[in-house]
Amino acid sequence: MALTKHPIADLIARRGGLVIDGAMSTPLEAAGLNLNDTLWSAKALLECPDLVRKVHYDYYAAGANAVEACSYQATEAAFARKGIEKAEASRLIRLSGELVREAKKRCSARASGMGSGGSAHGGLHWALRRLSGRRQ
């Protein structure tokens, strides 16, 4: 039996690597959101989608070229247990992907005017400190 190539292998080969985002819950909690909830970080889709977009943006600005949507625990069943109807749950699940795309678009627009100096905010080290809530 021949081994099949993983679908992401071509992307990694073209870019020489892949930088993936980090935690979502850590920066959300650092910003003051209480995630002690059955929805966990998906609660942010309801309460503060702009913050979710900002976290995604910060990861892109730090150099990530792959960002996961804030959709862990974002299911119709999980939202239904919170009294959220199916149509609204579906909208929130779609929103989780839209926020990633919007953040990437904003970061790309900003980066296009930066020249060859790197990320918009001085690199991965800066963003990891920022996303963890540490200010040094």
Side-chain angles (χ1 to χ4, degrees), residues 3-24:
L3 293 176
T4 58
K5 193 170 167 183
H6 193 279
I8 204 164
D10 289 333
L11 175 66
I12 293 170
R14 281 193 314 273
R15 294 183 181 208
L18 186 63
V19 178
I20 301 174
D21 67 347
M24 174 58 73

Side-chain angles (χ1 to χ4, degrees), residues 4-104:
T4 58
K5 193 170 167 183
H6 193 279
I8 204 164
D10 289 333
L11 175 66
I12 293 170
R14 281 193 314 273
R15 294 183 181 208
L18 186 63
V19 178
I20 301 174
D21 67 347
M24 174 58 73
S25 61
T26 302
L28 292 176
E29 287 180 328
L33 184 63
N34 180 354
L35 297 179
N36 187 15
D37 192 276
T38 57
L39 291 174
W40 197 27
S41 57
K43 177 183 177 186
L45 297 171
L46 287 164
E47 295 184 8
C48 51
D50 290 339
L51 179 58
V52 172
R53 183 185 305 105
K54 182 181 179 327
V55 171
H56 291 319
Y57 174 90
D58 286 346
Y59 278 120
Y60 279 123
N65 50 25
V67 171
E68 295 181 72
C70 183
S71 58
Y72 186 74
Q73 297 295 348
T75 65
E76 288 178 357
F79 285 125
R81 286 189 291 274
K82 300 298 253 179
I84 298 168
E85 295 187 15
K86 186 175 180 175
E88 177 64 1
S90 294
R91 185 193 71 78
L92 291 166
I93 293 166
R94 284 190 309 277
L95 176 64
S96 69
E98 291 166 7
L99 294 171
V100 171
R101 287 186 295 276
E102 290 170 9
K104 182 174 184 177

